[in-house]
Amino acid sequence: MKASRYNLFIPIQRSDTTLGFNCRSAALVRFSPEEMELVEHVLSAPDSDRAFAELPAELQNVLTESAFLLRDDEDEIEILRRLNHRARFESAHLGLTIAPTLSCNFQCQYCYEQGQTVDMLPETEDALVSWVAGKLENLKALYVTWYGGEPLLAQRRVRRLSEKFLSLCHRLNIPYHAKMISNGYLLTRDLAAELKALHVDKVQVTVDGPEKVHDVRRPFKNGGGTFRKIVENIKQVHDLIRVVVRVNLDKTNIASVPELIDVFVRDDLYRKVSLYYGHVMPYSEFCADVSGSCLAVDEFARNEVLLELKLFKAGFNAGSYPRPRSGFCIADSATGWVVSPDGKVYKCWNDFGTQDAVAVDDVVHGQTEAMRLTLEKWLGWDPFQKKECLDCKMLPICMGGCPYLSFRFYDGTRGSCPTWKYNLQEILLLAYLRSEVKKAETSVARAVQHVISHAVADEEETEAKV
Ligand code: SF4
Ligand code: SF4
């Protein structure tokens, strides 16, 4: 037997407990001091097979099932490499992000699409459906993310395309799933019901702080506020469609987040929506002017922990947890594509509408040689060629991070390290805290149920005697 290279052990200060986490299985296990002594012994023993055989059976199961211990002949990097290759080149799912328009009714401070107004034409819509039908051959599911601009400004196009995709998937007897990234301003209850019928089961809406902060960062085109309308819409639709609230953070709004959380608690939304924090980055020239206010990844990571703790204390159904992944995003998958309203196909969401972005295909005019070479560049992105990534414990939960950032900002020895690199221990401690509270709630609920059923039985017995 041998120790996994992806083990982390976190002693909990002022307690006798140690948490063990394995980045490949994502198992989080609590060890008592006696168990930890045995675990340390078996992980470092020269004759680990013998040390393992002497462990109590329960501990043996925990260590092997959670992948803290492996057979000597298992090569973890090779296993990950194969998973990654399969996810990239052998996925059975077609994943599309489609912008039916680049128009938007907001004028966000950090927007990189900067007032572009390209809408999808009917002939592009037809060409897109044929292109999708071709790509779906031999695949087993279609996933669409509606994006923009603001996709609800192109409702008719979303409706028509959804109906065509549904009928295509019906004909092929494969499932169709969709979600939407919207600013939430036009998301009425009727519209949410209609989206749901078109298989859109989740909408992500951005709220960047309490009213006074959000309205400065995400004003309407005419400068008016948008916060109240968005929050009202969330209240109207959350029982019809799953709502995920994204809060984009930079130096200028981070201090106001606790106030936003208080608003969600006051409005009784905190158990009805999920909320997560997004990191505003200087992704393109268009938003280079916000680079001075962007948080560095380690700064963002520190704040993320504090703000997740705030969410936990407020009672939100939220909190991140590192999961193993086989690829990173649409950009490193051979079956993932981003389609702009003019029919150009890209590999990355950041390429929408940016001047220097290079398409990898065109649903109307077909793929050129230059596009094919660009596609090769994206699909050639490989964290297993990066020395720091190969030596890094985070590899199974990170897979080299965002390929776009890596191409743009890093030097080739590593990918773009995500926040886990800086806050994994704290995030795991928080996850443990959440699970303990949940367990306590469940056992209290069980105890209450037990007391009630006994009380009811006693009462029935008394009645029967009378
Ligand atoms: S490459 Fe990065 S920015 Fe582009 S889609 Fe993937 S995660 Fe997003
Ligand atoms: S990108 Fe950074 S965190 Fe991710 S595997 Fe590479 S070195 Fe580790």
Side-chain angles (χ1 to χ4, degrees):
M1 307 291 289
K2 65 178 178 186
S4 163
R5 52 167 63 226
Y6 299 116
N7 289 341
L8 286 175
F9 292 101
I10 311 164
I12 303 184
Q13 279 170 11
R14 289 200 289 273
S15 119
D16 53 6
T17 298
T18 299
L19 289 185
F21 180 73
N22 181 274
C23 290
R24 200 155 68 82
S25 66
L28 186 62
V29 181
R30 175 185 189 274
F31 294 112
S32 68
E34 301 74 38
E35 288 168 333
M36 201 54 221
E37 205 175 307
L38 293 171
V39 170
E40 276 171 350
H41 175 63
V42 81
L43 292 180
S44 59
D47 186 354
S48 55
D49 285 0
R50 189 161 152 207
F52 179 75
E54 287 166 1
L55 289 178
E58 206 181 322
L59 197 51
Q60 284 183 342
N61 288 343
V62 168
L63 291 179
T64 49
E65 280 166 17
S66 304
F68 290 104
L69 262 183
L70 316 163
R71 288 194 325 268
D72 283 324
D73 61 352
E74 280 186 88
D75 181 341
E76 288 181 294
I77 292 199
E78 203 39 48
I79 293 171
L80 291 177
R81 198 196 303 272
R82 276 204 306 272
L83 279 176
N84 178 258
H85 190 275
R86 225 177 287 150
R88 279 204 279 173
F89 298 107
E90 295 163 33
S91 169
H93 300 162
L94 180 60
L96 298 176
T97 296
I98 302 174
T101 180
L102 287 184
S103 302
C104 190
N105 43 359
F106 284 18
Q107 193 148 27
C108 302
Q109 279 179 341
Y110 47 75
C111 179
Y112 57 87
E113 286 167 7
Q114 293 292 313
Q116 298 186 57
T117 55
V118 185
D119 293 326
M120 188 175 282
L121 298 171
E123 48 272 32
T124 312
E125 175 188 312
D126 292 341
L128 173 58
V129 175
S130 309
W131 186 85
V132 170
K135 293 274 178 216
L136 268 181
E137 266 174 41
N138 305 321
L139 295 184
K140 295 198 167 55
L142 172 59
Y143 289 83
V144 168
T145 301
W146 299 105
Y147 189 58
E150 168 50 42
L152 292 181
L153 287 179
Q155 286 169 36
R156 262 189 304 174
R157 191 70 63 211
V158 170
R159 206 170 288 129
R160 283 167 54 103
L161 276 167
S162 299
E163 282 162 359
K164 289 179 181 177
F165 291 151
L166 275 163
S167 111
L168 184 60
C169 289
H170 182 69
R171 189 151 43 80
L172 296 169
N173 198 20
I174 59 173
Y176 170 69
H177 304 276
K179 60 184 177 180
M180 180 175 276
I181 315 286
S182 162
N183 60 32
Y185 196 86
L186 298 171
L187 187 63
T188 60
R189 190 165 173 83
D190 285 350
L191 194 48
E194 195 185 343
L195 289 173
K196 185 86 185 169
L198 295 171
H199 288 215
V200 178
D201 59 13
K202 181 167 97 177
V203 181
Q204 181 190 296
V205 172
T206 300
V207 182
D208 267 2
E211 186 171 357
K212 60 181 186 301
V213 175
H214 171 95
D215 284 350
V216 172
R217 293 166 64 87
R218 298 180 64 82
F220 207 70
K221 265 258 155 66
N222 64 12
T226 58
F227 180 88
R228 286 185 188 196
K229 178 93 173 133
I230 295 169
V231 172
E232 191 46 43
N233 285 348
I234 293 174
K235 286 184 195 166
Q236 293 298 320
V237 306
H238 68 76
D239 61 329
L240 284 180
I241 203 162
R242 197 173 142 217
V243 178
V244 177
V245 174
R246 176 180 161 116
V247 186
N248 286 323
L249 296 182
D250 61 32
K251 290 176 189 165
T252 64
N253 71 335
I254 199 152
S256 71
V257 176
E259 210 183 311
L260 174 66
I261 293 172
D262 292 343
V263 172
F264 273 83
V265 172
R266 198 187 59 218
D267 286 0
D268 195 28
L269 280 172
Y270 66 112
R271 285 192 180 263
K272 298 170 179 162
V273 300
S274 341
L275 184 150
Y276 80 101
Y277 303 113
H279 185 187
V280 178
M281 301 272 232
Y283 272 138
S284 73
E285 308 74 51
F286 283 131
C287 72
D289 57 330
V290 298
S291 58
S293 58
C294 293
L295 292 153
V297 184
D298 56 337
E299 260 179 301
F300 179 82
R302 271 198 309 278
N303 283 289
E304 189 180 37
V305 172
L306 296 175
L307 292 174
E308 283 212 2
L309 183 60
K310 171 84 187 161
L311 285 181
F312 169 71
K313 285 185 179 163
F316 261 81
N317 285 329
S320 52
Y321 189 82
R323 305 256 173 227
R325 58 197 312 155
S326 36
F328 194 77
C329 67
I330 209 165
D332 62 2
S333 157
T335 54
W337 312 97
V338 178
V339 185
S340 73
D342 62 2
K344 293 264 188 330
V345 181
Y346 299 93
K347 285 303 288 169
C348 169
W349 291 30
N350 275 319
D351 282 346
F352 271 151
T354 50
Q355 281 163 350
D356 62 350
V358 188
V360 296
D361 205 345
D362 185 323
V363 302
V364 181
H365 303 104
Q367 192 182 43
T368 63
E369 181 59 11
M371 290 172 175
R372 200 184 56 74
L373 291 174
T374 306
L375 178 59
E376 265 178 28
K377 180 196 86 170
W378 281 104
L379 294 181
W381 150 252
D382 182 1
F384 293 89
Q385 288 175 6
K386 305 200 175 284
K387 188 176 174 321
E388 282 184 55
C389 296
L390 287 176
D391 292 338
C392 177
K393 279 188 190 297
M394 313 281 153
L395 184 60
I397 54 171
C398 161
M399 279 296 159
C402 161
Y404 176 89
L405 285 176
S406 182
F407 280 134
R408 192 159 180 130
F409 297 113
Y410 299 103
D411 58 7
T413 63
R414 67 173 173 94
S416 60
C417 306
T419 50
W420 308 129
K421 182 85 174 180
Y422 305 95
N423 65 14
L424 185 59
Q425 291 210 2
E426 291 80 0
I427 289 289
L428 290 172
L429 288 170
L430 259 175
Y432 177 68
L433 186 61
R434 284 197 304 270
S435 76
E436 286 300 289
V437 169
K438 202 165 181 182
K439 264 193 248 159
E441 278 174 1
T442 316
S443 66
V444 169
R446 255 194 238 121
V448 169
Q449 228 172 2
H450 186 72
V451 170
I452 290 173
S453 50
H454 271 272
V456 170
D458 288 349
E459 209 168 296
E460 281 171 356
E461 204 179 292
T462 315
E463 273 174 19
K465 280 180 191 161
V466 170

